[in-house]
Structure formats: structure tokens, C-alpha cells
Amino acid sequence: MLLQALAFYVFAAVVVASGAMVVVSRNPVYSVLFLILAFFNAAALFVLIGAEFIAMILVIVYVGAVAVLFLFVVMMLDINLVELREGFLKYMPVGAMIGAVLFAEVLLGLGVLGAGSATMTTLNSQGPQVPAIENTRAIGQVLYTQYFYLFQVAGLVLLVAMIGAIVLTLRTRPGVRRQKVSDQLYRPKEEVMTVVKVPTRGGVQ
Amino acid sequence: MTADLIHFFTTNWLGQGIVIFAQCLAVTVPLLIAVAYMTYVDRKVWAAIQLRRGPNVVGPFGLLQPMADGLKLVLKETIIPSSANSVLFVIAPMITFMTALVAWAVVPFDDGWVIADINVGILYLFAISSLGVYGIIIAGWASNSKYAFLGALRSAAQMVSYEVSIGFVLITVLLCVGSLNLSDVVESQRGWFWRWYFLPLLPMFVIFFVSALAETNRTPFDLPMSEAELVAGFHTEYSAMTFGLFFLGEYANMILLSALGAVLFLGGWLSPIPYAPFTLIPGVVWFALKIAFLLFVFSWTKGTLPRYRYDQLMRLGWKVFLPVSLGWVVLTAAVLQFGGWLPKS
């Protein structure tokens, strides 16, 4: 139990610290790397509370795919650091306010101030009441039954975003010669090959 | 006395720590030896394909060649380019090597021979293998060199693309198994060798193997380090042991993906014929033989095929493998559902 508490405080401290470093570090590449560290430690926190499925999905989706693309973009941008620092003080109050509002929402939602309806006990009662089964199976049992429509709608939202991104980047340019693999494969042998009998010491005529 | 010892190693936290440490050593040391000799086998196989002898000078049959190579790498000077980002430059090979090692924690070598028998074993492996890309991309960026950066971008894009189809292959297998635990995956293939998943899921096995080649940056997909265009790709600036760690990590990853292939499609530690003389051979031997077979195919491919062009590589990943594997997931799910073969939960 002591070991678990210790692990929790270490991971939580690293999450908070690296979250802060994302904002204050001078190099944007460092920011992304700290963001990855934060994701990773958040996954470790999930493992600590026994939600190993969520933890693995967090690592696969955010660390393995999303953050790689972040890193790609940030590395290839030509960012002027001095210019980037100029707006920092101007935007800080706004950022701090948004952060405060989000934090307050979480606190209220958890009923810390006695205001929210959902307390930890009511949240727990909505979950599957089968502690004996592993949590992958537990998620599967409610995700496709109780929350089926919500899940599908979430998928549709992502689909819309994806189609939007494709529409924005897709443009047809005239006069581009494309390589069509099927055309190449269907070329008849006679068109592209001639068999030549080469006489010894004669060479190809 | 023995009861005391058992009590110490099973309940005391110090004893448990010692046991876990010993288990890690018991996996890591044979793995590193396997990596060293994999380089030897690779060179011998290519030599045989090209009608040469291969390494045959250091030790009997050249068997000490990997040791000599390793010693050379250790003794050389580690050079950090003056314009490189030295912290990230040093961290990158460590990330590559570490991710290649920690993934082995969930691989079952025999019935019960596994360090961490966790319920989400497949997902853990997938998560760790998706981390391997960071070592490469950080190395390319930290080197502050155009060749290294181009190589890293290529490599990262390639790994992300082929991970998608590997993910669908994993989903197909776990649909048939009904569990994410790797030991359960092996157990569900018990029986004659035609019950192993490579036969019922043959297209997925092929896609898995080709994606594994791309994932480990091996020929015909070794674009990231194509020497004709990019010198040595993302590790152009690396020397001595920093390069050595990349090299070791790459080979460890190859062995890892072969092990994953053996577990998912070739019945893991099970013997091909489930009767007496064959089942007496320890499971770990069968497992090693299956890994060795897949690794041989890795070397064989490298000795045989030319390199892909980059656009062809991307086309194969996104326009061929992705639709085929996605379709196969749907097909498998439908067959299992309507054929009444869904695994009992």
C-alpha cells in the first residue's frame, strides 16, 4: 500500500511538472516531448487504479500516433523563438483564466464543494457491478449496449473531422501524370519484351 | 530451511524484488546473446545466398565475430557533433534500446514462463512497439543533420503507417481468441499444427510479416537508411556505443516481432504434433525454433529482394494493406458471429 502511494505521488508529480514544462519550455520540440512524458505518466496513473485497458489505449493513441504527428509538424516548422516569447505575458492571464475555469469545473463535478450532483459513489454505481471480470471485458459490456449511441455519435464526429481535413487538403491539379500500378501490371508481354538470341562473340545487333 | 526460503521469496518485498530482478536477467541475457548471434546468422545467410563464406576468421567458423564487433563498438570513441542537441542525442539510442527490451516482459516462453502475465498483453506489446519510433525521430532531430533528419522522417512515417495494419492483424487474432492475454492466445491454438492461426488467417499472417519487415526497417523497406541516398539515415551522426545501442535495439525488435508472430500465428510454445515424443521436448525449444524460422525468413528476404521506392511503400501500406486487413477484420467477425464460433467468455 505504501509502495502504491509512493508510486502515485511520483507519477502525479511528474505529470504536473511536465505539464508545466510544456507551457514554459523555450523550445517547442521540448514542449512536445514533455507532453509525451505527461501522457505516459497519466497512463501509469491509470494502471495504478487498475484501469489497464484505458492506460494502454492512452499510450497507443496519444503517445504512439497523435504525439508523433505533433512532433513531425513542430520539428519541420521554422519557429522564431524570440517572436514566440513576445506574446507570452499578453496571453498569460487568458490562459490562466481558462485553466482556472476548467479546474473549477472538475472540482464542482466531483462534488468537492457540495455543489455537484455526481459524487464518486454515484459515478461508481453507474459502472458495471462485476468486479470479478477484467476491465477490458467490463468496458466492452457497457460500451456496445448502454452507451452504444453515444459511442457511435463520437465516431461520427471523428469521421466528420476526418472528411473535413481531406476536403481541405484535396485538390485536383491538371496535367499530373500518375503512376498506375494496375496499368503497368496489365501491359502485355509482347509490348514490352523482345527475346533476342545473341550469338557468341557477336553481341546484340 | 527451504520453507523459509520460499517464504522469503514469495512474501518479503526484498525477496520478491530479487525474484523479479532475476527474472529480468533470465530474459535479457539470452536475448542479448541471441541478438549478437542474429548478426552472425544474418551475415552467414546472406553469404550463402551470394555464394560467399561470410565471417569465418574470428574463432571457429567465425563464431566469435559478434563478440569482436561488440568489443570494437565499446572501445571506440563516442563522438557527439558540436551542433547537435547533446542531451537528446544521447537519450535517443537509449529509448530505442529500452523499448526493445521492456516489450519482452509479456512474451510467454513456455506454459507459465512469463515475467508479467497481464490481461492486456497484446495491447502492451503494441503500445511499446509504437514507442520505438521516438528513439528514431529524436535521434534524427537531435543530430542537426539533413541526412539524419530526412531518414528519421521517413522512418517515422513508415512505422506509423504499417502499425495501422499490424493493429488490424492483432484485432483479427484476438477476435478468434477472445482474450488479450498472450498465454491465452497460445492456449487457444492447442492441437495439431493446422489449428494454429497461420492457416485459417493466412492473409493476415502475410500482412503481419510484411508489416513486421517495414516496422523494423528491413529490406525491402529499409528506406530510412538507404545508403545510396541518405548515407545511413537517422544514425548517420552516431558512432561507437550510441550507434551500438541502435543496432542492438533494431535486432532486438526484429526478434521481438518474430516472437510475436510465433505467438499469434505459429502456436507459441506448442509442439506441432500434440503426441508423446514431440510434447516431451520443452516448449521453450519449440518457441525458439519458431522464432529462428521467422528470423531466417527475415534474412532470406534481405538477401533476395531489392529496395522499394518510397511512394510504393506508402501505397502498399495505406492503399493495399489497410483496406485488406480492415475487410478481413469484418469478415472474421462476421464468420465468427454467424458461424457460431465466437470464443466463449
Side-chain angles (χ1 to χ4, degrees):
Chain A
M1 230 48 240
L2 176 77
L3 211 61
Q4 222 170 11
L6 196 70
F8 170 78
Y9 284 115
V10 170
F11 290 138
V14 175
V15 171
V16 174
S18 48
M21 287 306 288
V22 172
V23 186
V24 300
S25 68
R26 300 185 143 267
N27 192 331
V29 174
Y30 286 170
S31 291
V32 178
L33 291 177
F34 276 116
L35 186 67
I36 293 162
L37 190 64
F39 281 147
F40 211 76
N41 280 280
L45 288 177
F46 275 125
V47 171
L48 277 187
I49 57 168
E52 71 257 13
F53 181 76
I54 306 273
M56 293 303 151
I57 293 296
L58 184 72
V59 173
I60 291 171
V61 174
Y62 283 95
V63 181
V66 175
V68 173
L69 299 180
F70 266 22
L71 208 54
F72 253 55
V73 174
V74 170
M75 279 178 176
M76 289 201 278
L77 286 180
D78 184 23
I79 296 172
N80 188 347
L81 291 181
V82 183
E83 213 171 278
L84 206 66
R85 308 298 302 175
E86 273 175 359
F88 187 74
L89 280 178
K90 203 169 83 185
Y91 292 118
M92 202 171 76
V94 182
M97 222 163 70
I98 293 175
V101 168
L102 286 179
F103 192 62
E105 275 177 1
V106 172
L107 285 184
L108 287 174
L110 288 177
V112 172
L113 304 176
S117 59
T119 57
M120 269 330 234
T121 42
T122 56
L123 281 179
N124 278 341
S125 66
Q126 284 165 5
Q129 293 304 304
V130 268
I133 64 172
E134 63 211 70
N135 65 56
T136 315
R137 192 155 283 160
I139 288 174
Q141 279 174 356
V142 290
L143 196 58
Y144 289 101
T145 52
Q146 200 175 339
Y147 299 110
F148 179 75
Y149 291 111
L150 290 176
F151 188 60
Q152 292 297 321
V153 167
L156 272 182
V157 170
L158 288 178
L159 183 69
V160 169
M162 192 172 92
I163 292 174
I166 292 174
V167 168
L168 283 179
T169 51
L170 187 74
R171 47 185 178 151
T172 44
R173 278 172 296 184
V176 177
R177 288 166 60 114
R178 285 185 195 285
Q179 183 183 20
K180 275 194 186 152
V181 175
S182 55
D183 286 358
Q184 293 176 331
L185 290 179
Y186 282 123
R187 275 198 306 182
K189 199 164 67 181
E190 299 79 41
E191 244 178 52
V192 287
M193 251 170 58
T194 44
V195 179
V196 184
K197 280 253 189 279
V198 182
T200 316
R201 293 186 171 275
V204 186
Q205 298 303 316
Chain B
M1 186 59 201
T2 36
D4 275 354
L5 273 182
I6 289 169
H7 184 74
F8 174 69
F9 282 123
T10 49
T11 53
N12 191 309
W13 62 269
L14 181 65
Q16 282 175 334
I18 293 173
V19 169
I20 291 174
F21 185 69
Q23 282 175 332
C24 293
L25 271 189
V27 171
T28 313
V29 172
L31 175 67
L32 288 182
I33 294 173
V35 165
Y37 277 92
M38 186 57 212
T39 63
Y40 172 80
V41 170
D42 244 4
R43 293 168 68 179
K44 277 289 189 193
V45 171
W46 302 336
I49 289 173
Q50 297 163 0
L51 304 179
R52 294 184 286 116
R53 282 178 191 276
N56 62 350
V57 175
V58 190
F61 308 105
L63 274 173
L64 294 179
Q65 185 71 46
M67 305 298 151
D69 289 346
L71 195 68
K72 186 195 82 172
L73 282 178
V74 171
L75 293 180
K76 276 186 141 183
E77 183 191 353
T78 304
I79 298 169
I80 298 176
S82 56
S83 60
N85 183 326
S86 52
V87 177
L88 290 180
F89 188 82
V90 176
I91 287 178
M94 294 182 193
I95 295 177
T96 306
F97 186 61
M98 241 164 50
T99 52
L101 284 189
V102 291
W104 284 88
V106 295
V107 174
F109 294 90
D110 199 343
D111 203 358
W113 285 29
V114 48
I115 295 181
D117 195 17
I118 58 177
N119 283 329
V120 286
I122 294 181
L123 285 182
Y124 173 82
L125 268 184
F126 194 53
I128 296 296
S129 74
S130 68
L131 290 183
V133 68
Y134 282 110
I136 290 169
I137 197 168
I138 291 174
W141 185 78
S143 298
N144 203 358
S145 144
K146 287 195 177 63
Y147 290 124
F149 191 52
L150 284 175
L153 287 183
R154 275 189 183 185
S155 179
Q158 174 177 334
M159 285 170 91
V160 171
S161 314
Y162 279 84
E163 230 151 57
V164 178
S165 51
I166 286 197
F168 282 122
V169 172
L170 296 182
I171 290 175
T172 324
V173 172
L174 70 90
L175 274 177
C176 300
V177 179
S179 165
L180 287 164
N181 186 314
L182 285 169
S183 302
D184 289 349
V185 174
V186 175
E187 272 311 320
S188 71
Q189 304 179 53
R190 188 169 282 285
W192 284 87
F193 60 87
W194 56 76
R195 292 202 42 187
W196 297 348
Y197 288 135
F198 78 95
L199 210 56
L201 299 177
L202 189 62
M204 293 316 253
F205 184 43
V206 174
I207 287 180
F208 176 81
F209 188 77
V210 177
S211 301
L213 286 175
E215 187 77 3
T216 50
N217 297 331
R218 288 278 290 194
T219 332
F221 306 111
D222 57 348
L223 274 302
M225 41 195 94
S226 55
E227 59 276 13
E229 346 169 354
L230 290 180
V231 190
F234 62 89
H235 54 55
T236 305
E237 304 289 340
Y238 282 85
S239 59
M241 214 45 215
T242 48
F243 166 75
L245 284 183
F246 273 124
F247 196 70
L248 290 174
E250 212 162 274
Y251 271 85
N253 255 331
M254 249 166 62
I255 302 181
L256 177 73
L257 278 168
S258 303
L260 187 59
V263 166
L264 294 178
F265 292 102
L266 299 177
W269 68 76
L270 300 173
S271 76
I273 299 164
Y275 291 107
F278 298 99
T279 47
L280 291 181
I281 299 171
V284 64
V285 174
W286 285 118
F287 190 52
L289 282 177
K290 287 164 188 173
I291 294 178
F293 168 71
L294 287 177
L295 284 175
F296 169 73
V297 185
F298 265 78
S299 312
W300 186 12
T301 336
K302 177 146 185 168
T304 314
L305 294 178
R307 188 176 292 143
Y308 255 56
R309 222 172 49 210
Y310 198 68
D311 61 311
Q312 291 173 327
L313 171 102
M314 282 295 159
R315 178 182 167 272
L316 183 71
W318 289 106
K319 292 189 175 172
V320 180
F321 280 3
L322 179 61
V324 168
S325 55
L326 187 58
W328 199 267
V329 168
V330 176
L331 182 73
T332 312
V335 167
L336 289 174
Q337 172 71 33
F338 297 114
W341 291 318
L342 269 183
K344 309 278 178 295
S345 57

